[in-house]
Amino acid sequence: MKASLVPNASGKLRRKWLAFILILLDWKPDKVYEEYRRRFGIECSYRMLRRVRASTTSRNPSLRFFLLGIGLILVNAWVFLRWTFSRLMQRGPRQVDGSRFRLNRFSKFLIRTVEEIYGTISAVSTHTSPQSVIY
């Protein structure tokens, strides 16, 4: 078990207890904490990537890799824009106000821009009239 200090909603530090289960490892608690902390950052970046990456059913690995690369560029662009324009004006180390420019807002900006350029589809023309079927 390891305790770490984390800020709560009001900004005050509080102690948070963390429990780790180790099987066949002789690591000290500090090493386990650092490894999990690094892994958590990797998982968060993949979660963010999943929100902006284009999805496809193509089996072409080149296309899939290209879309992954575009997603990574978009996440990095968001991080740069957030770091540049959402910073708190204060003395001391630079801090970012996370509520000013969230990834969700950035992805909605991108969607609106693509819709403005290419238009949106609101109807599909067919040669037969639709039938309502109740099962």
Side-chain angles (χ1 to χ4, degrees), residues 4-135:
S4 63
L5 295 174
V6 294
N8 62 10
S10 64
K12 293 182 180 180
L13 290 179
R14 66 179 179 87
R15 190 170 301 277
K16 180 177 181 181
W17 288 93
L18 304 169
F20 301 104
I21 298 173
L22 303 176
I23 299 173
L24 300 176
L25 289 174
D26 58 351
W27 291 354
K28 295 188 179 199
D30 291 333
K31 178 164 176 58
V32 175
Y33 174 74
E34 288 301 319
E35 291 294 322
Y36 270 92
R37 190 173 139 200
R38 191 177 72 208
R39 179 69 192 162
F40 179 75
I42 293 168
E43 290 175 9
C44 283
S45 63
Y46 275 107
R47 236 185 337 258
M48 287 188 296
L49 175 64
R50 209 173 302 131
R51 293 175 70 187
V52 296
R53 190 185 65 177
S55 59
T56 181
T57 57
S58 172
R59 301 187 90 179
N60 183 350
S62 300
L63 175 64
R64 296 175 75 83
F65 185 70
F66 175 74
L67 293 176
L68 177 75
I70 295 294
L72 288 170
I73 289 170
L74 290 175
V75 169
N76 283 325
W78 170 72
V79 168
F80 172 76
L81 291 171
R82 184 176 170 189
W83 182 251
T84 304
F85 298 110
S86 296
R87 97 177 229 203
L88 296 171
M89 301 308 275
Q90 64 184 18
R91 292 184 149 199
R94 178 181 257 188
Q95 291 184 352
V96 173
D97 181 9
S99 64
R100 285 188 185 173
F101 190 50
R102 296 190 184 276
L103 183 60
N104 190 28
R105 178 172 284 180
F106 178 66
S107 64
K108 286 181 181 179
F109 283 158
L110 293 174
I111 289 169
R112 278 191 226 124
T113 303
V114 170
E115 286 175 348
E116 282 182 18
I117 293 170
Y118 294 105
T120 58
I121 298 173
S122 59
V124 177
S125 62
T126 63
H127 298 292
T128 61
S129 63
Q131 300 174 351
S132 63
V133 179
I134 299 175
Y135 291 100

